Amino acid sequence: QGHANIDLQGENYTTASFDTKGLPLGPLIALYKPVPEQFKGVLELHATAKGPLKNKDAMEAHVTIPTFSAAYQQLEIANAGPIKADYVNSVVTIAPSELRGTGTSLKFNGEVPLKGSVPPRMTVTGSVNLELLRIVSPDLQSAGQVGLDLHAVRAAEGIGVEGQVKLQNASLSTASSPLGVQNANGMFNIQNNEVRIGELTAQIGGGNLTATGGLTYKPQLRFNLALKAEGVRLRYPEGMRTVLISDLTVNGNADESTVTGRVLIDNVSFTQDFDLGDFIGQFTGTSSPPSGVGMTQNMRLNITVQTTSNVNLVSSTVSLQGQANLRVIGTAANPVIVGRADLTGGEIFLMNKRYQLVRGILNFNNPNETQPVVNVVVTTSVNQYNLNLTFIGPMDRLRTSYTSDPPLPPVDIINLLARGQTTEEAAPANLNANSILAQGLASQVSGRIQKLAGLSALQIDPTIGGNGSDPTARIAIQQRVTKNFIFTFSTDVTDPESQVIQGEYQFNNRWSMTAARTQYGGYAVDAKYHKTF
């Protein structure tokens, strides 16, 4: 309810009042952001004003808030008593008031002269539970306390703030953010429009973070921060988890800033849901770069990224060894990787076949987007043929060349890789419509089971046997048990006695040993030595 009388002559003497009773806060907040269903909030406000509008120094106003409360699930905050503010003789006076809530007690009062040289007297003290942030942002995971001891002071630009802000075991994270902050403890000293970090330690991504420096917020936002991290786990790119040691500096303002420093990759691993196809798809240009707003668009990056030693990446379908010397450039909104990574060895399970990496080079030369240009050679064996595949070019425009020993034309090599037979052996006369349909269905079923069970390779072939010619149904399973040990099981479902069981252990890049029980019931042990000429 609102009411006002305004004299249209003279100094426009005015009397006005505004009153609410039990006003729900949910619809008001919904004008700016979505409100969770369980949110409850009520506001009651009474305000009066009187005096000449043309002489604001002679005006006076009074505001009283008898009721203010907000709650979400078990979290709540409300005023402990009426909150009163008065404006008389160009002085704003706030009576002693308190907000209480879940783990929270915040007291404030004081006087702020809007004219003259009299210093303001305004204090805000108490402790706030960070869980209360979930009342307005339910997706935010927060915990810990923020201690406040702030005072208003007279500054050249107007009213300033001095005091301290203390973090106690503060934690903040969201489901969409790659990193979350846990157990942050530190002191922020505020004076002369500047916030200085007295000491700040936190856990981020399972590692430790320390920060020093500060920022100036008037007349323009400027910051100078130094960040040191150790043992931080970062899930980037998607499908990989990287353990980092970093030493970074952040300088600049909201319109122009830089992040410089060095990051050492201590360890790299694949996540449990790693998928080689999805991982490669990130670099094919099919997905648009993330759009940033505000400071992230103006924050330039120049970060050196190196591996501390020869790293090993192992999943059920990929095993790689190598080292990298990279740089992250671009902006915080759209970071770009440039540099080079060398792959010195490893294996890849692709289309139910095991390929050994002979050599690999990944060059990131495009300064506008992360676009690896590969030069990779892999080898595999099918029947009595040793096949080599060379991949050259960017991910979305790869050129592939094929060689074999004994020599075969490329079309035969492709048939061997796809169907386990040469072109002559895979003549259409050997396949009918039913067998082709059975192969397609079996391929889809095996692929789904392979992902669900986390197998390195699962092949269900209803048309060919172990020798590649006799039509019979076979199942073959390969599983990487550890980084160096691979287990293989193959059986003919029409002949339970026809089973092949094999275990292969790779001691290093050159030596490996295989123990097998053949389909004829015999046993064999082989040692292999690999040398490149």
Side-chain angles (χ1 to χ4, degrees):
Q1 237 180 18
H3 180 271
N5 286 321
I6 303 174
D7 189 349
L8 299 182
Q9 296 180 349
E11 294 189 337
N12 302 132
Y13 191 88
T14 299
T15 60
S17 64
F18 179 79
D19 299 278
T20 70
K21 187 175 183 179
L23 181 68
L25 293 177
L28 293 178
I29 299 176
L31 296 175
Y32 303 95
K33 60 175 297 180
V35 178
E37 293 183 0
Q38 301 181 45
F39 174 84
K40 296 179 181 179
V42 177
L43 173 67
E44 182 178 347
L45 181 146
H46 304 283
T48 61
K50 64 179 181 179
L53 290 180
K54 291 185 177 180
N55 184 10
K56 295 182 177 58
D57 294 339
M59 290 282 296
E60 67 174 76
H62 308 275
V63 176
T64 301
I65 302 177
T67 303
F68 166 77
S69 65
Y72 174 72
Q73 295 181 346
Q74 78 281 7
L75 303 172
E76 58 182 7
I77 188 170
N79 55 333
I83 300 174
K84 296 181 179 180
D86 302 295
Y87 171 77
V88 179
N89 298 326
S90 299
V91 177
V92 177
T93 303
I94 299 177
S97 306
E98 182 180 8
L99 293 176
R100 291 179 184 173
T102 306
T104 297
S105 174
L106 190 64
K107 298 179 180 180
F108 52 95
N109 70 91
E111 294 181 355
V112 180
L114 301 183
K115 284 190 173 183
S117 59
V118 179
R121 182 188 60 82
M122 185 74 186
T123 62
V124 178
T125 59
S127 179
V128 178
N129 186 351
L130 286 176
E131 285 190 87
L132 294 177
L133 294 175
R134 295 181 54 221
I135 293 179
V136 292
S137 297
D139 295 335
L140 181 67
Q141 299 297 318
S142 56
Q145 298 286 130
V146 176
L148 301 174
D149 186 5
L150 302 175
H151 310 275
V153 296
R154 180 69 64 185
E157 298 82 9
I159 299 175
V161 178
E162 288 186 354
Q164 292 181 332
V165 177
K166 186 177 182 180
L167 293 181
Q168 294 179 319
N169 299 323
S171 299
L172 293 172
S173 64
T174 64
S176 59
S177 61
L179 293 173
V181 178
Q182 294 86 33
N183 298 321
N185 292 276
M187 184 77 71
F188 299 88
N189 299 306
I190 305 174
Q191 190 174 16
N192 299 326
N193 298 328
E194 185 179 18
V195 180
R196 301 296 302 176
I197 301 176
E199 52 181 292
L200 178 62
T201 61
Q203 293 178 347
I204 179 170
N208 298 318
L209 172 72
T210 59
T212 58
L215 62 88
T216 302
Y217 55 89
K218 281 187 179 181
Q220 182 187 28
L221 177 64
R222 296 195 62 86
F223 41 85
N224 183 2
L225 303 173
L227 306 174
K228 293 186 178 181
E230 185 172 356
V232 174
R233 291 171 174 83
L234 175 65
R235 185 167 175 168
Y236 182 83
E238 187 67 27
M240 294 179 61
R241 183 174 286 112
T242 309
V243 181
L244 306 175
I245 301 171
S246 65
D247 189 352
L248 304 175
T249 59
V250 185
N251 293 281
N253 53 51
D255 298 324
E256 184 180 3
S257 59
T258 59
V259 180
T260 59
R262 185 185 185 195
V263 174
L264 295 178
I265 300 177
D266 191 43
N267 185 28
V268 183
S269 61
F270 294 116
T271 58
Q272 291 184 350
D273 55 351
F274 174 81
D275 184 271
L276 182 61
D278 294 340
F279 180 78
I280 293 176
Q282 298 178 72
F283 308 106
T284 59
T286 56
S287 59
S288 59
S291 59
V293 295
M295 289 179 54
T296 58
Q297 287 181 323
N298 304 320
M299 183 174 287
R300 308 295 302 179
L301 306 178
N302 188 6
I303 304 171
T304 300
V305 180
Q306 296 176 315
T307 55
T308 56
S309 59
N310 198 51
V311 295
N312 295 283
L313 296 90
V314 180
S315 74
S316 61
T317 57
V318 178
S319 172
L320 297 174
Q321 299 89 46
Q323 55 190 8
N325 189 351
L326 307 169
R327 279 196 310 132
V328 180
I329 60 174
T331 65
N334 184 25
V336 177
I337 298 175
V338 296
R340 170 172 168 154
D342 293 290
L343 304 177
T344 57
E347 295 170 332
I348 300 174
F349 286 89
L350 191 61
M351 296 178 61
N352 294 315
K353 287 184 175 57
R354 179 183 169 198
Y355 295 84
Q356 186 170 4
L357 179 68
V358 179
R359 70 173 187 272
I361 299 173
L362 281 74
N363 285 307
F364 299 80
N365 299 323
N366 191 338
N368 299 314
E369 63 177 339
T370 302
Q371 185 184 59
V373 179
V374 304
N375 185 347
V376 175
V377 178
V378 297
T379 181
T380 189
S381 297
V382 180
N383 296 337
Q384 75 272 25
Y385 297 97
N386 294 320
L387 310 178
N388 291 321
L389 286 76
T390 302
F391 303 94
I392 298 177
M395 289 292 187
D396 54 349
R397 299 190 305 275
L398 277 179
R399 303 189 308 274
T400 309
S401 60
Y402 308 89
T403 59
S404 69
D405 183 21
L408 285 172
V411 64
D412 278 333
I413 298 176
I414 294 173
N415 267 281
L416 278 172
L417 293 172
R419 307 169 71 175
Q421 299 171 313
T422 63
T423 308
E424 182 178 353
E425 295 169 337
N430 295 336
L431 293 174
N432 55 34
N434 290 333
S435 63
I436 293 175
L437 179 61
Q439 279 186 325
L441 292 175
S443 176
Q444 292 189 28
V445 171
S446 63
R448 293 177 183 272
I449 297 176
Q450 180 178 320
K451 284 190 175 183
L452 181 64
L455 298 174
S456 299
L458 170 63
Q459 187 172 11
I460 304 173
D461 196 332
T463 60
I464 60 173
N467 58 9
S469 58
D470 298 331
T472 180
R474 295 190 64 84
I475 296 177
I477 296 173
Q478 276 193 313
Q479 175 65 23
R480 185 185 301 281
V481 181
T482 68
K483 180 182 71 173
N484 297 325
F485 181 69
I486 294 179
F487 173 80
T488 303
F489 172 80
S490 176
T491 183
D492 183 344
V493 297
T494 63
D495 183 7
E497 299 297 326
S498 179
Q499 298 177 346
V500 176
I501 302 173
Q502 176 180 290
E504 179 179 342
Y505 188 85
Q506 186 169 359
F507 297 98
N508 51 46
N509 291 336
R510 294 180 176 234
W511 282 101
S512 65
M513 180 171 287
T514 302
R517 178 191 178 276
T518 68
Q519 58 185 339
Y520 306 109
Y523 295 88
V525 177
D526 294 324
K528 295 181 181 179
Y529 177 78
H530 177 80
K531 181 173 178 59
T532 302
F533 296 94

